Amino acid sequence: MATNAPSSPPPRTLTLRDVSEASGVSEMTVSRVLRNRGDVSETTRNKVLQAAKDLGYVPNKIAGALASQRVNLVAVIIPSLSNMVFPEVLTGISEVLDETPLQPVFGVTNYQPEREEKVLYEMLSWRPSGVIIAGLEHSEASKAMLKAAGIPVVEIMDVDGEPIDSMVGISHRRAGREMANAIVEAGYEHIGFLGTKMPLDHRARKRFEGFTEALAKSGLEVEDQEFYSGGSALAKGREMTETILTRSPNLDFLYYSNDMIGAGGLLYCLDKGIAVPQQIGLAGFNGVELLDGLPRQLATMDACRAEVGRAAAHIIAKRVSDPNAQPGERIVLKPQIDFGDTLLRR
Amino acid sequence: MATNAPSSPPPRTLTLRDVSEASGVSEMTVSRVLRNRGDVSETTRNKVLQAAKDLGYVPNKIAGALASQRVNLVAVIIPSLSNMVFPEVLTGISEVLDETPLQPVFGVTNYQPEREEKVLYEMLSWRPSGVIIAGLEHSEASKAMLKAAGIPVVEIMDVDGEPIDSMVGISHRRAGREMANAIVEAGYEHIGFLGTKMPLDHRARKRFEGFTEALAKSGLEVEDQEFYSGGSALAKGREMTETILTRSPNLDFLYYSNDMIGAGGLLYCLDKGIAVPQQIGLAGFNGVELLDGLPRQLATMDACRAEVGRAAAHIIAKRVSDPNAQPGERIVLKPQIDFGDTLLRR
DNA sequence: GATCTTTCTGTTAGCGTTAACATAGCGTTT
DNA sequence: AAACGCTATGTTAACGCTAACAGAAAGATC
């Protein structure tokens, strides 16, 4: 019997040696050609490239990385993909890394510290050149791993706390405060809050803290609250808004922890013929472009998602290309309130 | 001096040898403990685990993979992250792989065949155990790479064509046909189509083909069309709907290539006081849960995103754990029309 | 023409881990 | 007590590639 079944893939995967034999030069020369490193004559270069192409050779980065002690991967660790926020961050990261030899690898934690720890461990075991990780809150073990890894680490999306190395993001406390101030200045006095039932979403928590703190300074407080988990955010926003307004009919402003539930609330108010923003004002958080087509534009505050991704990627790229670059960079973005059509001005 | 600078990372990353020296056993034994492979006495096991923990050792999978010729990665290649569709597929994949030693690694192509080729090459160079890739249309080079890789390949989201190995998805032609038939049966006669200006979105194209084909069988045709690219889908849906209805006021049905622009169209019609579904019927595609809170429920057809992800992951997991498992599996999911509130029944 | 450059190619020795085999120790069997 | 079997550990040789150095070929300099 010759080999195996007809037109089946070659039994063994190809190595440099195969290309080397096919082109009649040493493995080292093939390696040089394929990596564009060192001087190789035009003639051999072409010979090698042709052979590699004919054979369908794909280099083995595992062996390459082990030999060179260099890995072009950047670990990107985020809490969720369904949130719409994070895909945008990833897009920003990819955009920048595309112009470098670096390649992002994503991991998702579902907002669970144990998952984060596991994902981080898995990723670090591939010895990436850098880590981009959402948030500043991590388990002790995770922090220890990040410190011990000896690679650039950028914590993103939040700047209210001490980073391990670098950080890029906005202050969610400040975002909460500014929205509270805008609401107070606009003259609203009976304020309700609607958010996720997610104790581990530290950024939502910080926004809420900043929000209540700033209200308190004006002698106000959140008069009623409503929380949800799971399900379609738009539908939940409707339900919760109905619930809270039924329970506390005198509320004149609703602050939502994200734009999707805010949009649900907006649709509910419009359905019920509630005058927005006169009778009730509304605001969300994130600046989700997706919602641009709604009948009214929800007041919100941009979380600068793509920009955060780009900045984080730039930091990693710089640190990787220049090992002497200063660590501990801190980039604090300052988003402005977008008043939209649901928050009175002044 | 005890070790190195205070609280600075160790100058060199740790290896098995460090753990081996710290625990007084051979590297091999450490390796066995850390992988739970082979017999190791309880005493040494604990000694080793303690030492590894104290040192903060993280195994080097690069070296491990090279030595064992086994890599626990599954390459997942999708066109886009901003589409909402794909994050759901990824969630389904993760869900299943979480219960195996396999780990997904994502790559994004932005619907560009050249990007797909590059991403695929990069991923294959890490010698993953399997590939999950969206669509059945790939460049010749990509197909060649996939065939030559000698690993299980699952093409997902579409079943209208010949897979390289396995496939999981729905027939978009059928989806288009069924929607056309439902529309015709409901009595609509003047039909418009609105979609993305994206020649490389083969699935949208196939839906359109199936749609027109089925209309033709009933003696009907698409009377007007409108295309967009970029921007907020909801807003675009509004604009396009206005444009097409202004140009062709006698249309009585609008078929949208996705739910987001469909939702924009729905909001537009409601704004204008158009009677939906009597005066004009509407339908989209995908079954986006996100939209559940809209004033009316858009007629749509589920693309079974999470289910597709799960099934694909199962195929890979099976093939990896049992090298004799049959290749070429084909799973065709059959979604039903969801009439919602925007398509008359019967 | 001998020496020195410069350009190109080859050789050797790992990178950190694991597969496969070897061996030490110890209780059992006959 | 010799032979056997079992468990627990160690030794050796890859895995496929690249860094670092070595050498050959070809031209340049004196």
Side-chain angles (χ1 to χ4, degrees), chain A residues 8-246:
Chain A
S8 79
R12 195 177 42 79
T13 66
L14 299 164
T15 72
L16 271 189
R17 152 151 277 118
D18 297 290
V19 184
S20 139
E21 282 168 3
S23 54
V25 298
S26 72
E27 297 174 43
M28 194 61 226
T29 301
V30 176
S31 169
R32 278 194 268 253
V33 170
L34 264 27
R35 286 178 302 143
N36 263 316
R37 196 134 317 180
D39 298 316
V40 180
S41 76
E42 204 50 30
T43 335
T44 31
R45 150 166 273 104
N46 291 334
K47 226 171 21 180
V48 168
L49 287 175
Q50 190 59 45
K53 197 175 169 190
D54 289 349
L55 293 171
Y57 172 72
V58 177
N60 185 332
K61 285 217 175 156
I62 294 183
L66 184 61
S68 67
Q69 301 285 72
R70 275 188 274 95
V71 181
N72 69 337
L73 300 176
V74 176
V76 179
I77 298 176
I78 54 174
S80 158
L81 277 172
S82 43
N83 198 316
M84 189 122 29
V85 172
F86 298 105
E88 285 192 52
V89 177
L90 301 186
T91 303
I93 293 174
S94 303
E95 210 175 282
V96 171
L97 293 188
D98 271 0
E99 286 156 22
T100 74
L102 297 170
Q103 224 204 330
V105 182
F106 311 128
V108 176
T109 68
N110 293 319
Y111 287 101
Q112 296 163 29
E114 323 83 60
R115 289 275 315 157
E116 178 177 277
E117 214 169 294
K118 197 185 152 202
V119 169
L120 185 58
Y121 186 81
E122 289 283 323
M123 297 229 147
L124 289 180
S125 74
W126 288 101
R127 300 288 188 269
S129 293
V131 176
I132 297 175
I133 186 167
L136 292 161
E137 282 77 20
H138 315 290
S139 72
E140 283 306 314
S142 294
K143 283 189 204 168
M145 280 192 269
L146 286 169
K147 281 179 194 157
I151 53 177
V153 175
V154 184
E155 289 165 280
I156 58 170
M157 314 293 289
D158 187 4
V159 298
D160 295 325
E162 274 306 303
I164 292 167
D165 173 357
S166 302
M167 67 180 176
V168 180
I170 67 165
S171 164
H172 288 263
R173 285 228 169 72
R174 178 173 170 279
R177 279 200 307 272
E178 295 211 343
M179 189 56 88
N181 291 335
I183 291 168
V184 172
E185 277 178 34
Y188 297 102
E189 293 185 324
H190 304 285
I191 296 154
F193 177 82
L194 302 91
T196 45
K197 197 183 293 164
M198 202 175 273
L200 295 170
D201 185 343
H202 299 284
R203 292 175 286 288
R205 193 200 74 222
K206 288 172 183 175
R207 285 199 297 280
F208 184 61
E209 288 171 1
F211 186 70
T212 52
E213 178 197 314
L215 284 187
K217 283 211 177 122
S218 307
L220 292 175
E221 60 181 17
V222 170
E223 295 185 10
D224 198 357
Q225 315 183 13
E226 187 69 21
F227 297 95
Y228 82 107
S229 62
S232 157
L234 214 52
K236 286 289 176 185
R238 271 179 186 273
E239 286 172 30
M240 292 162 75
T241 305
E242 170 150 40
T243 308
I244 202 170
L245 288 181
T246 306

Side-chain angles (χ1 to χ4, degrees), chain B residues 280-303:
Chain B
I280 293 189
L282 303 171
F285 178 81
N286 257 340
V288 176
E289 192 197 33
L290 190 104
L291 294 172
D292 277 0
L294 286 184
R296 304 275 179 85
Q297 202 58 41
L298 185 70
T300 189
M301 194 165 204
D302 188 7

Side-chain angles (χ1 to χ4, degrees), chain B residues 16 31 35 57 70:
Chain B
L16 271 188
S31 170
R35 286 177 302 142
Y57 172 73
R70 276 188 273 95

